[in-house]
Amino acid sequence: MTVNDDSFTNWMHREEIAESMIPIIGKLHRERDVTVLLHSRSLVNKSVVSILKTHRFARQIAGAELSVTETMPFLRALTTLDLGPSQIDLGMLATMYKADERGLSVEEFTAEAVAGATGANKIERREPRDVVLYGFGRIGRLVARLLIEKAGSGNGLRLRAIVVRGGGPRDIVKRASLLRRDSIHGQFQGTITVDEDSSTIVANGNAIKVIYADDPSHVDYTEYGVRDAILIDNTGKWRDREGLSKHLRPGIEKVVLTAPGKGDVPNIVHGVNHDTVKPDEQILSCASCTTNAIVPPLKAMDDEYGVLRGHVETVHSFTNDQNLLDNYHKSERRGRSAPLNMVITETGAASAVAKALPELKAKISGSSIRVPVPDVSIAILNLQLAREATREEVHDYLREVSLTSPLKRQIDFITAPDAVSSDFIGSRHASIVDAGALKVDGDNAILYLWYDNEFGYSCQVVRVVQHVSGVEYPTYPATAV
């Protein structure tokens, strides 16, 4: 048998194993509300090839490829346990098991590692929490996709309504079409139908009422069966407490803004300060995509090395706020053609750091350049550290942070030497450390952080909503603090 034959036989064997994983993962998700992860990446509703690619990608961050032959025994072990709602990371189980020297069987080790989600320790499945989207633009539609995707177990968050301004003929059909197909993020994974008579979009069985209103004060959500909902404002029209309070109508309990909040509105970056949200807080902000990209690695660097000062330069994709061709704009430079120019503009991300990370005493400055790409940006974080370090030390530290720290859902890590911006379309992390571009010289460190400013940010928004709604389930094995 040739080497090629050996490789193909091995591939087919791994395909067979990955194929057998799919029904187990699906059953755990539907029946027990358990989300199976691999190094923070969900394996729910993934294809055979996607599961294999996710395993192979582990070598980018862990240094060695992870095989389905290694993770399948842990997945089988999960089926024998009395599991409650949780997220369980097969990658972490396999990695920790290799390092464990007690001679436990896979079944014994798995039962111990996820004990907090089993038997008397397991939490009860919660009733679905209603969610309303106010506005249905780029972020709104991606958040909708994520909410629909996560509704598979029938628990957690449930998208009940979308509020938009009245459009012309067949308005709802056009909005459903924008949800169905996206030039950047591809086709919606599932089926979408429209009932114009009842003004309803049905996506993967989820009936979503489309409400037409020009002002929040015109809507009584209880008329549509919405109760105790979290409203996500995607318009950015109102950013202070007074303006956002207009959304606190019958049927709405909390308001989450997908833009930087002003005044005393808390700016929340999931993974960094989400646990500071008070239970009675009704209005909060998810800050900006750039704030979410820089604050987690900034916190990680400050925790380990101390940060005395820093500057962030953002090379940002263009957005709908800019013009296709030169035209009037309230901002001086954003009126110039977005697809034809690099445009220097302001960013509020640096000042927002103080709100999301108040314990950081370092002064952080920032600026931004909009460039002619439709999605994915990069933040160049230039830091003066409190102590000297080597490139290898920072490299290994950030890789470990991406694998095992409480920030592993926010910070990803890539070593591919040929990575470019389009490779990160669809990334669910707040930012991705480009290991090849990392520079360290004594007390100076320069981090290059990719981020999908649309999808990665939308994932952070959904994480915040899950947290404040009480449906964010714990992850096992427990992350080392």
Side-chain angles (χ1 to χ4, degrees), residues 232-266:
I232 305 174
D233 183 326
N234 307 290
T235 68
K237 184 176 180 180
W238 303 278
R239 295 196 180 188
D240 59 13
R241 188 172 296 275
E242 180 182 2
L244 292 168
S245 294
K246 296 178 180 180
H247 289 303
L248 294 173
R249 302 282 299 153
I252 303 299
E253 184 179 345
K254 294 180 185 291
V255 178
V256 174
L257 171 66
T258 63
K262 295 182 178 180
D264 67 341
V265 174

Side-chain angles (χ1 to χ4, degrees), residues 194-264:
V194 175
D195 185 336
E196 290 189 76
D197 293 336
S198 64
S199 192
T200 302
I201 296 173
V202 180
N204 290 358
N206 296 268
I208 307 162
K209 184 73 174 180
V210 178
I211 302 169
Y212 293 96
D214 294 326
D215 188 89
S217 61
H218 297 164
V219 188
D220 181 342
Y221 294 94
T222 59
E223 294 179 359
Y224 304 96
V226 175
R227 298 286 186 278
D228 302 323
I230 296 177
L231 182 144
I232 305 174
D233 183 326
N234 307 290
T235 68
K237 184 176 180 180
W238 303 278
R239 295 196 180 188
D240 59 13
R241 188 172 296 275
E242 180 182 2
L244 292 168
S245 294
K246 296 178 180 180
H247 289 303
L248 294 173
R249 302 282 299 153
I252 303 299
E253 184 179 345
K254 294 180 185 291
V255 178
V256 174
L257 171 66
T258 63
K262 295 182 178 180
D264 67 341

Side-chain angles (χ1 to χ4, degrees), residues 23 57 72 81 111 130 145 149 162 169 179 306 326 329 418 440 448 468:
F57 187 78
M72 184 60 169
L81 301 174
D130 289 355
R145 286 189 175 200
E149 171 192 298
I162 298 165
L179 177 62
D326 291 2
H329 194 289
D418 56 350
V440 180
Y448 288 75
V468 299

Side-chain angles (χ1 to χ4, degrees), residues 264-279:
D264 67 341
V265 174
N267 281 255
I268 304 302
V269 173
H270 191 276
V272 175
N273 68 336
H274 66 278
D275 55 356
T276 65
V277 179
K278 298 176 181 177

